Amino acid sequence: MKIPTLPFTVTDWSGVAESRHRGETGEAIWRTLNIGEVRVRQVEYTPGYLADHWCDRGHILYVLEGELETELRDGRRFTLRPGMSYQVSDFGDAAHRSSTKIGAKLFIVD
């Protein structure tokens, strides 16, 4: 990831419009800031959320609240709680999908 040239920017996430994305179950609520090819998001998963796809995109994901289950296509599973993160590249065999029983609030850069 290369952050493009931009002025110093402060973001009040409460003022960024929401977009809603249905999962296989539940919903993901995104607040998104696009900076060139870099996407910065605050994402909230409702309780019971299960992604409807396997994601191959690289991310840096940080859990702010709740609990996130991340499953890799190869069957490995990870539970992330507040203060934990994962980093995954665009390349390789780490296709992943997210779910949560209790809900989660995340900060994601990709």
Side-chain angles (χ1 to χ4, degrees):
M1 166 178 40
K2 181 161 175 60
I3 298 174
T5 302
L6 74 150
F8 181 85
T9 304
V10 173
T11 304
D12 177 355
W13 289 97
S14 67
V16 176
E18 292 181 350
S19 61
R20 295 180 175 264
H21 307 266
R22 304 261 340 134
E24 192 171 301
T25 58
E27 187 175 47
I29 304 157
W30 296 11
R31 294 177 188 267
T32 306
L33 177 64
N34 289 298
I35 306 166
E37 294 183 18
V38 177
R39 181 173 65 174
V40 181
R41 296 178 288 158
Q42 180 178 292
V43 175
E44 184 174 348
Y45 292 144
T46 61
Y49 175 80
L50 171 62
D52 64 353
H53 65 284
W54 290 96
C55 181
D56 290 311
R57 187 169 181 163
H59 312 287
I60 298 170
L61 177 147
Y62 181 79
V63 179
L64 299 166
E65 298 174 11
E67 186 173 277
L68 179 71
E69 296 290 330
T70 298
E71 177 184 8
L72 302 187
R73 189 176 281 150
D74 68 10
R76 289 179 289 161
R77 292 178 175 269
F78 303 89
T79 301
L80 288 87
R81 293 179 182 84
M84 296 176 74
S85 68
Y86 74 67
Q87 299 70 228
V88 62
S89 72
D90 290 326
F91 307 102
D93 60 354
H96 53 281
R97 70 176 174 176
S98 297
S99 65
T100 178
K101 293 177 185 167
I102 65 170
K105 192 172 193 177
L106 317 167
F107 189 78
I108 304 170
V109 179
D110 51 23

